[in-house]
Amino acid sequence: MKSNKRTGRLIGLLFLIIFATGIAVYQFLQGPVLFSDDFLTTTSANSNEIIISTLLLFFSGITSVVIAAILLPIFKKFSITLAFLYLAFSILSFIAMSIDNISVLSMLELSQEYTKNGTNNSDILNTLGNVFYKKHWWTHYLSLLISCFPIFILYYTLHMSKLIPKIISVIGIIAVILMFIEILFSILGNSISMNMLLPIGLIQLILALWLIFKGLNSPTLKTEIK
């Protein structure tokens, strides 16, 4: 039981780091720049912020995989299938995030070239800018869509294993479903409301804080989750 408590607190701290990283990157460092109308000029002007944001996201992705690896032996006690699925989808999500990071750095390189050349070849660079913008849009939203899978498996396994209070896991499952629907509809060009992403952010913060203060429960194992 003490081991589960310590492990839970460590995982909670890692989740909190991931949460803080996401807020810093998407709300302050990267989001306001790359999705602005004049990103061709603002990206190069904020090159340090963009580079820092990609490094933070890389660290965040690695941290997610580390969490899945730490939880693997615990989840295996309840379901070997779910334990390895969580690890596999966490790795897949990290790969998708890395591809998105490459897209971000490509936009930075184009922005620097645009700023350096001034009005020379501006038409070509503007056309390339539109292409790179769309490319980043696709990689970003596909990365978000893929991230739904490990999160769903996480909350589903936590719910079935009773490692955390039922209310947190149930809200987590609902929140990630809402996130998946919104991202999928956005990709299809019919966004419902970005407010549908708020529940997942809130429950991720609640989960992190709960684990930090309470750790993981140690319920009696009855049957393995199929």
Side-chain angles (χ1 to χ4, degrees), residues 158-207:
L158 289 173
H159 174 68
M160 298 303 293
S161 61
K162 301 178 182 178
L163 288 167
I164 62 172
K166 185 177 180 180
I167 184 66
I168 297 178
S169 57
V170 170
I171 293 176
I173 291 172
I174 295 172
V176 72
I177 291 174
L178 290 176
M179 175 183 174
F180 182 85
I181 292 172
E182 167 56 23
I183 297 301
L184 181 61
F185 272 72
S186 293
I187 290 175
L188 296 175
N190 296 293
S191 175
I192 302 173
S193 172
M194 294 304 291
N195 289 330
M196 292 175 67
L197 302 182
L198 294 178
I200 192 63
L202 180 60
I203 198 63
Q204 288 288 81
L205 177 59
I206 292 174
L207 174 64

Side-chain angles (χ1 to χ4, degrees), residues 28-162:
F28 300 102
L29 296 176
Q30 191 179 105
V33 177
L34 296 181
F35 287 104
S36 65
D37 294 333
D38 56 344
F39 76 94
L40 274 176
T41 55
T42 58
T43 303
S44 61
N46 295 274
S47 59
N48 290 336
E49 288 83 351
I50 295 300
I51 293 173
I52 290 172
S53 70
T54 57
L55 292 175
L56 287 175
L57 286 177
F58 180 82
F59 174 75
S60 176
I62 289 291
T63 304
S64 296
V65 176
V66 169
I67 291 174
I70 294 174
L71 285 172
L72 182 65
I74 298 176
F75 282 0
K76 280 174 63 177
K77 297 176 183 178
F78 303 94
S79 172
I80 294 176
T81 301
L82 290 175
F84 280 103
L85 273 178
Y86 180 47
L87 178 61
F89 276 121
S90 295
I91 295 173
L92 181 61
S93 181
F94 170 67
I95 293 172
M97 183 184 293
S98 298
I99 293 173
D100 187 37
N101 268 346
I102 293 172
S103 178
V104 168
L105 293 176
S106 297
M107 291 180 71
L108 174 59
E109 291 293 331
L110 180 64
S111 176
Q112 290 174 336
E113 189 67 25
Y114 180 86
T115 304
K116 182 171 61 177
N117 278 271
T119 57
N120 296 330
N121 301 318
S122 60
D123 290 339
I124 297 176
L125 291 175
N126 276 315
T127 301
L128 286 175
N130 291 330
V131 173
F132 276 58
Y133 181 90
K134 281 295 183 182
K135 177 185 175 184
H136 172 245
W137 189 94
W138 279 104
T139 58
H140 179 66
Y141 274 86
L142 288 174
S143 175
L144 289 177
L145 190 70
I146 292 173
S147 72
C148 292
F149 293 99
I151 298 174
F152 177 83
I153 295 173
L154 170 68
Y155 281 107
Y156 178 75
T157 308
L158 289 173
H159 174 68
M160 298 303 293
S161 61
K162 301 178 182 178

